């Protein structure tokens, strides 16, 4: 009797626990459904306002782009204007110091972005860039040039970290990839303009001073236009300004009803409330730790920062920083003009990415392009074997032969694959982070960019000397190849998903399979809603 009684008690206990678990799942499903119902405004037609905001903010990308491109020409035409002919080490110093400054600028912007809002950091970045440009243009020593480059780096890092974050928070979900892509278009556009200006001022005495001075213009334009841009709705809700957030949402979604506007505010408010409840009374150090101690956040961080590191360590920025030097090494007489071909390719294929990223998806674009980067870097490495280069990177024979021409073709194809894929997609990864760590996660993403950038910029010429050009480009090809494999296993697809919905993906490992399921569910939901809308119209 005692055994039967015990057995019955255990069964009752198990049944009770199963009932509780079923109820909890039911409640969680109901809450998620309720949250989805609050976000129907995302299905309405958007206006031009969000595009104008994104275009304006994307001018900040020119700060990064112009500086990246113009230093390539400046290094060729400095001659002895800083007191003596620069050594390879000094060239690496004034190139890489900007990336080092950007690293710390991104940290400062990330730590203050939630407290003071997104726009303040953009203003500060522009001001620093103007000051740095003036210091560079007036430099007569390596020390002053280095300081100017460092100050510019602080500004570039701040803008590079905040601009994609700001655009991501004001963009409708279905256009978010393309709108953040505008920032990348601005970066590559700035690079193209810088190469054109470098070529135009190549034969002007001390023309490099004008080259760096002109770099202040995008910052001045952005400062003038930024007052017309609102703070992001999520930041306004975060700072207890729901009415202002609603006003911004009305302008972003002009075809939404007043009920949908209020529901969107409620949708954001619930996530903000969860974030505040989780971080109440906690220090910023505690918040940073949440990126690492919460498994979902850590996986998002690894996926985002891993792709960013590959995009920088895969050789592209060494090509942008030193393209004029590189093409001079292989024997071209006008290396800056040849470098313009690379910058033009970069700009055109960034536009290709902009047009495709929200249609094809981030993951598919990466898988279709990264293998091409590895292939053409490997071909370039093979061709360098037939180019007679001394240990000090001087040519044994000044004649431009077929290997040099093949290297140029390989670089064009490499840049085409890079710009249409990883170069732009890496910056979209800020959307992986939940709001409570989004600013800090984007800070880490940007720091990964600039930290990797420092490594490449400060070692490229030395690596070329010590391991030969073939060894350097073979190394970059290997990084791209293994990065392609990592993307297959660890980078989920999030196109068309709201920032609030993306947080669920990394609850399931790296979320590749879970993201695929959610995409199918979302597609089915949109199809059902369209059918319902069509049925209602027929009844009317």
């Amino acid at each position: 009797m005692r055994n039967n009684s015990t057995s019955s008690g255990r069964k009752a206990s198990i049944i009770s626990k199963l009932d509780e678990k079923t109820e909890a799942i039911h409640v969680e499903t109901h809450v998620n459904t309720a949250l989805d119902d609050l976000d129907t405004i995302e299905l309405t037609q958007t206006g031009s306002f969000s595009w104008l905001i994104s275009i304006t903010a994307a001018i900040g990308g020119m700060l990064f782009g112009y500086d990246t491109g113009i230093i390539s020409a400046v290094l060729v035409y400095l001659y002895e204007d800083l007191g003596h002919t620069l050594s390879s080490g000094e060239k690496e110093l004034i190139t890489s110091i900007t990336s080092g400054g950007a690293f710390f600028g991104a940290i400062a912007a990330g730590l203050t972005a939630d407290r003071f809002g997104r726009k303040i950091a953009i203003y500060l970045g522009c001001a620093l860039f103007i000051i740095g440009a003036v210091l560079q243009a007036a430099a007569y020593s390596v020390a002053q040039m280095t300081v100017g480059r460092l100050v510019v780096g602080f500004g570039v890092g701040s803008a590079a970290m905040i601009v994609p974050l700001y655009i991501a928070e004001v963009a409708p979900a279905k256009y978010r990839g393309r709108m953040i892509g505008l920032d990348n278009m601005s970066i590559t556009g700035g690079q193209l303009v810088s190469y054109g200006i470098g070529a135009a001022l190549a034969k002007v005495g001390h023309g490099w001073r004008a080259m760096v001075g002109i770099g202040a213009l995008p910052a001045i334009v952005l400062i003038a236009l930024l007052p017309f841009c609102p703070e992001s709705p999520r930041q306004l809700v975060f700072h207890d300004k729901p009415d202002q957030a609603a006003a911004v949402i009305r302008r972003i979604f002009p075809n939404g009803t007043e009920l949908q506007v209020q529901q969107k505010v409620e949708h954001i408010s619930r996530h903000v409330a969860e974030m505040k409840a989780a971080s109440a009374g906690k220090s910023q150090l505690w918040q940073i730790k949440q990126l690492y101690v919460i498994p979902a956040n850590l996986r998002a961080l690894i996926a985002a920062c891993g792709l960013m590191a590959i995009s920088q360590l895969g050789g592209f920025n060494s090509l942008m920083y030193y393209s004029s030097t590189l093409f001079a090494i292989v024997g071209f007489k006008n290396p800056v003009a040849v470098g313009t071909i690379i910058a033009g390719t970069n700009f055109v294929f960034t536009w290709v990415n902009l047009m495709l990223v929200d249609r094809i998806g981030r993951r598919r674009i990466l898988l279709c392009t990264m293998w091409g980067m590895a292939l053409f870097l490997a071909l370039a490495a093979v061709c360098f074997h037939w180019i007679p280069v001394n240990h000090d990177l001087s040519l044994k024979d000044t004649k431009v032969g077929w290997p040099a021409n093949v290297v140029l073709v390989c670089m064009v194809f490499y840049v085409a694959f890079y710009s249409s894929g990883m170069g732009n997609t890496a910056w979209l990864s800020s959307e992986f982070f939940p709001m409570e760590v989004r600013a800090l996660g984007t800070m880490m993403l940007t720091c990964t960019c600039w930290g990797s950038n420092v490594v490449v910029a400060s070692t490229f010429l030395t690596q070329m000397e010590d391991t030969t050009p073939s060894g350097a480009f073979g190394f970059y090809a290997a990084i791209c190849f293994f990065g392609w494999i990592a993307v297959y296993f660890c980078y989920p697809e999030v196109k068309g998903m709201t920032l609030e919905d993306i947080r669920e993906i990394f609850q399931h490992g790296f979320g590749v399979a879970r993201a695929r399921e959610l995409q199918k569910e979302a597609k089915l939901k949109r199809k059902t809603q369209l059918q319902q809308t069509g049925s209602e119209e027929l009844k009317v």
Side-chain angles (χ1 to χ4, degrees), residues 461-483:
L461 295 178
T462 302
Q463 186 179 12
M464 291 268 286
E465 291 175 350
D466 293 344
T467 67
T468 74
S470 292
F473 279 81
F475 175 75
Y476 295 144
I479 289 177
C480 292
F481 176 75
F482 288 110

Side-chain angles (χ1 to χ4, degrees), residues 243-280:
D243 292 339
Q244 293 183 32
V248 175
I249 291 170
R250 287 189 194 97
R251 300 186 69 182
I252 293 174
F253 299 98
N255 295 305
T257 65
E258 184 59 29
L259 175 61
Q260 288 176 316
V261 170
Q262 296 303 324
Q263 286 177 335
K264 181 66 173 178
V265 173
E266 177 64 20
H267 186 251
I268 296 172
S269 297
R270 290 191 186 184
H271 286 281
V272 170
E274 289 178 12
M275 179 199 74
K276 287 185 174 181
S279 59

